[in-house]
Amino acid sequence: MPVVSDSTFAFTSASEGKAFFELAYGLRNPGEGEEMGMIYSRVNNPNLAIVEQRLKLWDKGEDAAFFASGMAAISTMMFTFLRPGDILLFGSPLYGGTDHFIHHVLPQFGIRTLMFTSDDSEENIQALLNAAWPGETPSFIYVETPGNPTNNLIDIEMCARLADFFSAKDKKCLLAVDNTFLGPVFQHPLAHGADLVVYSATKFINGHSDLIAGACVGSGEVIAAIKGMRTFMGSMLDPHSSWLVMRSLETLKIRMERQAESALKVAEYIRNHPKVENVHFLGFLKSGDAQKNIFEKQCLGNGSMISFNISGGEEEAFRFLDNLSLFKLAVSLGSTESLAEHPATMTHVDVSDEDRAKLGIHPNLVRLSIGLEEPDDLIDAIKKAFVLV
Ligand SMILES: *Cc1c(COP(=O)(O)O)cnc(C)c1O
């Protein structure tokens, strides 16, 4: 597929231009077999359209929308469905940027927000809502599972039941799931009742640390609404990045499978190290544990994100990171190269002290994203870094 970098597309006749605009603005429904042609690259573009048609297949959605970043996907989606006075119910922990958007941007638009954690049961969440705004219901539920950076799982089916419960005949409460950590290979939220799947495509989906992108997948109806908002926010993905993401989709499954295999080996080494207090890795959940039950219901693999508590505090975590070779000391995740970072002072520095303590984002927590290097080389680098802690 070539890169079609054109900003605008010539119509074959004025009446064709008229027909495309009628469909773009939803002024009438398409006729039998009628498709909207290309108009202008903020509205549509061949590279963007093709990568969207490919991504939707992974999650068995009816349609997909790509964005200039994961945050563009999340913010455009929320502005599509939330209005002043509405209540957003959200699970925590969340990606730092999403957490900031919910805590500091949405309230400026009169949107009320209520947090729950993976420890809260269905009844607890109902009670939290009742205590905050008796008799009122949320219009949108947003969760990230596994959660960043601790891999905490939230039960998608439970959230879908809540969304159904909160839906009125004329207004559905939508459930959106950030599937960046496991999807689209190891988790399919739409199959468990979610209305929308959201991605930072910067991470596993692109996987080469060479662009920023985001995506949403869902029914034709919800994606059409989001694309309508995207046209006016101008938050779509550009043609060249769309083309690069298409390249990446070719290897997505084998990359994610190999990274998950390597992560299991690396996590096993870390778990047995005397300078480690606790490892947060989906491959180590114990049977009987509520988290394990959720894992078995909705996850198809352990993924390749590991976080662990090193004995000590920030000082020990920093010594480990500063002496870690092979891994790049950088935020982001899901790429072919392994990355290491310190959530409490980097990705999650903006989360309140109280929430950080509650969510287990302690000063001794280190997060690793395992790439495609030889796992024994990664283990060797970790072993050497621990010696210098
Ligand atoms: C990185 C990330 C985002 C934000 O995506 P960008 O592409 O950086 O805008 C959202 N959610 C999760 C889980 C992420 O890791």
Side-chain angles (χ1 to χ4, degrees):
M1 176 71 198
V3 182
V4 183
S5 60
D6 307 48
S7 59
T8 192
F9 299 92
F11 306 128
T12 56
S13 66
S15 57
E16 186 187 77
K18 176 183 173 182
F20 291 175
F21 267 91
E22 284 170 347
L23 296 181
Y25 278 83
L27 301 178
R28 61 172 175 85
N29 290 323
E32 191 66 26
E34 184 185 10
E35 278 188 39
M36 184 173 79
M38 294 297 148
I39 297 178
Y40 181 70
S41 284
R42 177 158 45 72
V43 179
N44 55 6
N45 169 281
N47 294 109
L48 182 62
I50 291 170
V51 75
E52 288 172 346
Q53 292 314 304
R54 290 202 183 169
L55 181 71
K56 77 175 190 190
L57 302 173
W58 291 85
D59 280 307
K60 297 192 167 64
E62 287 173 5
D63 202 0
F66 264 92
F67 294 85
S69 68
M71 284 314 302
I74 292 163
S75 55
T76 304
M77 174 188 74
M78 289 194 181
F79 282 133
T80 304
F81 297 110
L82 288 165
R83 290 295 170 270
D86 281 355
I87 298 172
L88 166 74
L89 179 66
F90 70 98
S92 222
L94 288 173
Y95 173 70
T98 315
D99 190 86
H100 181 93
F101 185 76
I102 290 176
H103 281 99
H104 303 290
V105 178
L106 289 182
Q108 297 179 44
F109 293 85
I111 292 155
R112 296 174 287 170
T113 63
L114 187 75
M115 173 178 125
F116 67 96
T117 71
S118 56
D119 293 334
D120 288 312
S121 64
E122 209 165 333
E123 295 71 35
N124 270 356
I125 296 170
Q126 296 268 20
L128 286 172
L129 263 164
N130 247 325
W133 302 292
E136 292 194 73
T137 54
S139 53
F140 204 88
I141 304 178
Y142 184 85
V143 299
E144 184 176 310
T145 180
N148 183 0
T150 49
N151 277 328
N152 275 41
L153 297 174
I154 292 179
D155 187 337
I156 299 170
E157 281 172 9
M158 176 196 80
C159 295
R161 276 197 304 276
L162 283 167
D164 273 348
F165 182 82
F166 296 135
S167 291
K169 250 211 193 89
D170 55 341
K171 196 173 184 215
K172 176 151 179 27
C173 171
L174 296 174
L175 168 64
V177 177
D178 185 329
N179 201 28
T180 299
F181 269 40
L182 284 184
V185 171
F186 297 126
Q187 186 170 266
H188 302 291
L190 298 180
H192 300 279
D195 300 291
L196 276 160
V197 177
V198 188
Y199 289 108
S200 168
T202 312
K203 314 296 168 53
F204 290 98
I205 288 178
N206 187 58
H208 293 68
S209 295
D210 54 6
L211 61 83
I212 298 275
C216 291
V217 188
S219 69
E221 196 183 338
V222 292
I223 298 298
I226 292 172
K227 283 185 177 173
M229 182 62 82
R230 184 183 67 177
T231 292
F232 300 101
M233 295 257 188
S235 49
M236 72 294 156
L237 191 62
D238 67 279
H240 185 254
S241 298
S242 301
W243 178 83
L244 279 170
V245 173
M246 271 195 283
R247 160 213 62 178
S248 295
L249 288 177
E250 304 285 331
T251 56
L252 178 59
K253 186 163 187 281
I254 54 172
R255 278 188 283 113
M256 286 192 80
E257 285 174 352
R258 169 64 195 272
Q259 285 172 255
E261 237 173 78
S262 297
L264 181 60
K265 288 185 192 159
V266 172
E268 258 158 13
Y269 175 79
I270 294 172
R271 171 161 71 170
N272 294 321
H273 199 283
K275 287 184 183 167
V276 170
E277 282 174 1
N278 198 3
V279 182
H280 310 274
F281 181 63
L282 293 177
F284 296 160
L285 298 173
K286 293 193 184 66
S287 27
D289 181 356
Q291 288 277 302
K292 177 77 168 182
N293 294 340
I294 301 174
F295 178 85
E296 285 184 339
K297 259 202 302 192
Q298 69 193 35
C299 308
L300 303 166
N302 52 246
S304 49
M305 295 302 296
I306 306 169
S307 60
F308 64 94
N309 301 94
I310 197 163
S311 308
E314 181 178 306
E315 207 181 307
E316 287 73 13
F318 276 23
R319 270 209 295 276
F320 175 84
L321 288 168
D322 288 340
N323 288 299
L324 187 60
S325 62
L326 196 54
F327 286 77
K328 301 283 186 299
L329 177 52
V331 297
S332 198
L333 57 103
S335 281
T336 54
E337 75 283 334
S338 294
L339 301 173
E341 68 115 4
H342 186 248
T345 60
M346 298 173 191
T347 45
H348 293 71
V349 67
D350 191 47
V351 177
S352 71
D353 292 347
E354 190 195 336
D355 284 353
R356 266 208 306 275
K358 191 163 157 190
L359 301 168
I361 308 172
H362 301 301
N364 68 347
L365 190 73
V366 170
R367 188 188 81 181
L368 303 177
S369 168
I370 304 302
L372 290 178
E373 304 89 343
E374 171 59 43
D376 288 337
D377 291 344
L378 295 171
I379 290 170
D380 192 53
I382 291 170
K383 192 180 192 170
K384 287 178 177 145
F386 272 130
V387 171
L388 298 166
V389 166

